Amino acid sequence: MLRPILLALLSTTVSAYIWPSPQLDALEALRFEQSFAAFLQPCDLFSFNSGGDASRSGRSNAADWIRTAYHDMATHIVADGTGGMDGSIRFAEEQARPEDAGDGFQNTITALFPGSNRYVSIADMLAIGAIMAVENCGGPEIAFRGGRMDAGEPNSPGVPQPQGDLDSHIASFARQGFTQMEMIGLVACGHTFGGVQHAPFPDIVPDSNDPNNTQSVAHFDSTFVHFDNNIATEYISGTTQNPLVIGQNDTTNSDKHIFGSDGNTTMSSFADSPELFASTCAELFARMLDTVPSGVQLTEVITPLPVKPQILSLVLAGNELQFSGQVRFWNMTQDSNRAVRLLWEDHFSGSNNATLRFTRAISSSGARNTAVFYTFSTADNISFVSLDAAAGITKMWFAVNDKVEDQNGHGFAVQDDVVFSASSCFHFDLNQGSTGGRFDIAVRNGVMPTRVYLETETRDSVDRPIVLEIEVPPPTQGAAASANGTEYSIWSVQIKGNQTSSMYTVGAEVDGVKGTRNGPQSIFFFSQCA
Ligand code: HEM
Ligand SMILES: *[C@@H]1O[C@H](CO)[C@@H](O)[C@H](O)[C@H]1NC(C)=O
Ligand SMILES: *[C@@H]1O[C@H](CO)[C@@H](O)[C@H](O)[C@H]1NC(C)=O
Ligand SMILES: *[C@@H]1O[C@H](CO)[C@@H](O)[C@H](O)[C@H]1NC(C)=O
Ligand SMILES: *[C@@H]1O[C@H](CO)[C@@H](O)[C@H](O)[C@H]1NC(C)=O
Ligand SMILES: *[C@@H]1O[C@H](CO)[C@@H](O)[C@H](O)[C@H]1NC(C)=O
Ligand SMILES: *[C@@H]1O[C@H](CO)[C@@H](O)[C@H](O)[C@H]1NC(C)=O
Ligand SMILES: *[C@@H]1O[C@H](CO)[C@@H](O)[C@H](O)[C@H]1NC(C)=O
């Protein structure tokens, strides 16, 4: 029998973290705002059906994303802690193996790779992709942890194949860390999406010559872009068309052998209860995605922050600090009568406020979640809140109508010690056919950084996101003053050529503590050099 499953109820048992935390902030946004879910709308969208009608391909991004996460995980070896969710499926060498037949892995990498960054590994993106596919296409919410580390080389082979016998499948799942019952569950949960294609599996699936199924996919159940228990009801009722159950050659009927391996007990329970199926899948998918090489420390389960400042930038411009950004309110819908104010404290202990403007509303996770965004902008033509440069800012909070949102008294800390200066500029070097520019960094007087640097992201030789640091030299004549004549000194660095297209953040080491300051800027945000 299945052991009783205690669902971690996302909203009640886990508390959100305190903002800011750059890694958790980035993971939370990708997992909950789900900008990459555009690939799943609608759920039968298949983005790699060149020229054809995506909804008649028989394929879907959703199915590819779920299968890719499983194949990335399935190399895990419990005994020695190697393999698991580590993005090694991105390597061509791994994709070329017979156990990884088909182009769905590369398609998935192509779609999700751009979401990876210094805080979100490629493997984290693969996990988020599988969660988005399930959640947006009828499935349950899945607990998400971040912090996976990307492998530097392919893992050892180990994904089960249809021609393996039952004993080999039980052994394979045991090696991955799953019991026989969990194996039945995980295969059923995965195979509620997609099917088997003719091209990579010509011995299992014939060419269908069907204009509504141009890639000749024999689907596992009748609702192959939707999460439901039809994989079980159709199997138990004997009406299934699952090619891994009814195949002519019984050797490759792996689903039949696996589903029947406990006398149909587990599959019957799934057929009887859509709720049991959904809760079991939520638990098994979470465990699958959290199967990582030993030594990798995952974060706590990430829950949405109720109030979250994002994309913050402080730019010193003369006597003002231009504070741009936005604040997101979770579980709220648009309301034109709502007044949102930004309140902040400055270095002189003064209190200040500005009314913010509504920008947009989103819904995610299959319309379960809603959020609204307000921009740090006080008028149509002004994209920032203006702060007095001398007074600066130490922390902020928000008022929604008259309700104070300050993270239960913590406030939202803001660092204004090292910021971009609006005197930064770009230039085109027509002779060299290249561009360049100068970043000016304003260091608040009284702050004594031992280092100031620019950070920009790039990739290492195996595509893992890494951060490059570019030293910013201190001003040559002591603290050359700028704003207000006294408040800030300007440190400058030239960038050129290939560096101009990047986004940069400011980093500094102050009192032995090294850290990133506010959000990224492009050199083209600034004016052309004189
Ligand atoms: C013994 C274990 C398993 C075997 C032998 C197996 C075999 C297969 C095969 C042969 C395909 C066809 C692939 C293609 O034509 O592109 C497939 C598709 C798929 N598998 Fe599995 N699978 C197993 C377990 C799992 C598990 C545990 C999951 C996820 C939890 C999963 C998720 C999927 C999905 C979503 C597809 C559809 C892909 C698409 O339509 O593009 N499979 N599986
Ligand atoms: C393809 O699907 C459309 C509607 O979804 C249907 O009208 C048409 O008959 C189908 N074509 C074939 C060959 O099954
Ligand atoms: C059935 O499939 C197995 C594994 O692919 C293969 O070795 C065998 O020849 C097939 N049998 C028939 C009758 O085609
Ligand atoms: C499981 O159920 C299917 C469909 O009713 C049936 O064909 C099969 O024989 C059953 N398998 C076992 C092991 O009882
Ligand atoms: C969302 O907000 C509504 C009231 O607007 C509240 O009843 C509900 O509990 C909230 N849901 C969550 C998950 O916080
Ligand atoms: C907001 O600032 C204005 C002055 O600019 C002040 O009159 C008002 O009391 C402030 N409101 C709050 C809630 O601090
Ligand atoms: C913004 O628009 C207002 C009204 O149209 C105008 O008075 C003001 O000068 C503009 N501000 C800027 C910075 O362009
Ligand atoms: C720019 O090109 C140089 C030389 O080709 C290289 O060393 C440097 O890493 C590149 N910088 C970036 C940001 O890509």
Side-chain angles (χ1 to χ4, degrees):
M1 287 296 295
L2 273 182
R3 63 193 162 84
I5 286 159
L6 290 175
L7 253 194
L9 290 174
L10 293 178
S11 47
T12 55
T13 58
V14 196
S15 60
Y17 60 96
I18 304 286
W19 184 96
S21 163
Q23 184 196 14
L24 294 175
D25 291 341
L27 288 163
E28 190 256 18
L30 280 161
R31 187 257 176 274
F32 285 103
E33 294 177 24
Q34 300 195 343
S35 47
F36 281 72
F39 282 96
L40 307 167
Q41 286 152 5
C43 284
D44 63 359
L45 180 61
F46 181 58
S47 306
F48 300 90
N49 192 40
S50 52
D53 179 342
S55 67
R56 297 189 195 284
S57 65
R59 306 266 315 264
S60 65
N61 297 324
D64 279 349
W65 291 9
I66 294 165
R67 179 170 179 242
T68 299
Y70 175 61
H71 282 232
D72 195 37
M73 185 285 289
T75 57
H76 185 63
I77 302 175
V78 169
D80 65 8
T82 59
M85 285 292 296
D86 60 5
S88 67
I89 193 72
R90 76 186 184 281
F91 290 107
E93 180 187 330
E94 214 168 292
Q95 290 177 20
R97 295 173 184 161
E99 66 185 39
D100 294 320
D103 59 8
F105 307 108
Q106 190 51 46
N107 293 347
T108 302
I109 299 292
T110 301
L112 295 175
F113 179 84
S116 63
N117 60 48
R118 63 192 291 190
Y119 302 119
V120 182
S121 64
I122 300 164
D124 283 337
M125 275 309 291
L126 295 182
I128 290 170
I131 288 174
M132 286 191 295
V134 173
E135 286 183 0
N136 284 276
C137 303
E141 282 198 48
I142 298 169
F144 171 69
R145 300 170 191 272
R148 289 163 196 76
M149 306 246 298
D150 292 327
E153 57 187 18
N155 284 328
S156 312
V159 187
Q161 295 183 252
Q163 71 274 20
D165 62 16
L166 178 62
D167 285 345
S168 79
H169 289 141
I170 293 172
S172 175
F173 276 83
R175 179 186 46 70
Q176 297 161 36
F178 296 91
T179 65
Q180 183 180 346
M181 299 305 138
E182 290 165 347
M183 167 184 74
I184 299 169
L186 207 50
V187 174
C189 296
H191 288 178
T192 182
F193 284 93
V196 180
Q197 296 168 69
H198 167 69
F201 296 96
D203 296 336
I204 300 180
V205 176
D207 195 341
S208 67
N209 288 312
D210 177 352
N212 286 340
N213 184 357
T214 56
Q215 301 220 359
S216 295
V217 187
H219 297 113
F220 295 125
D221 71 13
S222 58
T223 48
F224 51 88
V225 294
H226 191 77
F227 179 97
D228 56 30
N229 68 340
N230 285 347
I231 182 77
T233 55
E234 292 168 13
Y235 167 75
I236 290 296
S237 69
T239 58
T240 186
Q241 298 299 305
N242 181 338
L244 300 182
V245 172
I246 63 163
Q248 294 292 315
N249 184 342
D250 198 52
T251 306
T252 49
N253 281 335
S254 52
D255 280 9
K256 175 182 160 188
H257 306 144
I258 288 170
F259 293 167
S261 69
D262 67 349
N264 284 342
T265 309
T266 301
M267 291 303 278
S268 296
S269 70
F270 291 159
D272 288 346
S273 171
E275 295 77 21
L276 175 72
F277 183 63
S279 63
T280 304
C281 293
E283 200 234 15
L284 289 174
F285 278 134
R287 272 196 41 214
M288 171 179 108
L289 300 175
D290 290 352
T291 298
V292 293
S294 60
V296 174
Q297 184 69 47
L298 296 179
T299 68
E300 289 300 298
V301 172
I302 296 175
T303 57
L305 277 193
V307 178
K308 187 185 186 194
Q310 324 197 91
I311 328 178
L312 300 185
S313 171
L314 279 169
V315 175
L316 177 70
N319 294 332
E320 68 177 2
L321 271 175
Q322 299 176 344
F323 192 18
S324 60
Q326 57 179 215
V327 56
R328 187 199 72 197
F329 297 98
W330 197 250
N331 190 28
M332 279 192 198
T333 50
Q334 186 174 359
D335 176 355
S336 54
N337 292 321
R338 182 188 300 123
V340 171
R341 269 175 307 152
L342 167 71
L343 299 100
W344 70 96
E345 203 167 271
D346 60 39
H347 291 275
F348 306 152
S349 298
S351 295
N352 314 269
N353 71 79
T355 299
L356 304 185
R357 289 149 58 86
F358 171 81
T359 358
R360 66 192 176 108
I362 59 162
S363 77
S364 66
S365 306
R368 275 189 202 86
N369 297 317
T370 57
V372 290
F373 297 77
Y374 287 75
T375 304
F376 290 15
S377 155
T378 47
D380 270 341
N381 53 358
I382 303 178
S383 59
F384 52 83
V385 169
S386 176
L387 317 180
D388 178 72
I393 180 170
T394 55
K395 69 172 178 180
M396 64 180 166
W397 59 99
F398 301 90
V400 179
N401 293 334
D402 283 317
K403 184 169 187 286
V404 171
E405 295 288 0
D406 63 356
Q407 296 199 103
N408 298 320
H410 289 94
F412 297 86
V414 182
Q415 278 178 300
D416 66 355
D417 58 346
V418 183
V419 302
F420 285 111
S421 165
S423 56
S424 304
C425 65
F426 71 89
H427 63 77
F428 290 107
D429 185 339
L430 292 175
N431 292 331
Q432 297 189 9
S434 67
T435 53
R438 187 189 72 239
F439 274 112
D440 290 342
I441 311 301
V443 176
R444 197 175 168 82
N445 284 352
V447 178
M448 251 81 91
T450 43
R451 273 183 76 204
V452 171
Y453 51 93
L454 294 174
E455 299 172 319
T456 186
E457 284 186 38
T458 180
R459 303 273 173 170
D460 73 6
S461 61
V462 288
D463 289 337
R464 291 178 292 204
I466 52 170
V467 177
L468 284 183
E469 294 181 0
I470 300 169
E471 292 304 317
V472 182
T476 44
Q477 304 163 2
S482 160
N484 251 355
T486 55
E487 297 308 328
Y488 290 83
S489 63
I490 300 294
W491 301 35
S492 295
V493 65
Q494 298 283 341
I495 56 156
K496 49 177 171 291
N498 57 354
Q499 299 176 328
T500 45
S501 62
S502 305
M503 297 294 288
Y504 294 86
T505 42
V506 174
E509 193 175 300
V510 180
D511 296 332
V513 181
K514 191 181 165 198
T516 300
R517 296 306 192 264
N518 299 301
Q521 277 303 354
S522 150
I523 192 71
F524 299 114
F525 171 80
F526 301 100
S527 309
Q528 190 154 4
C529 300

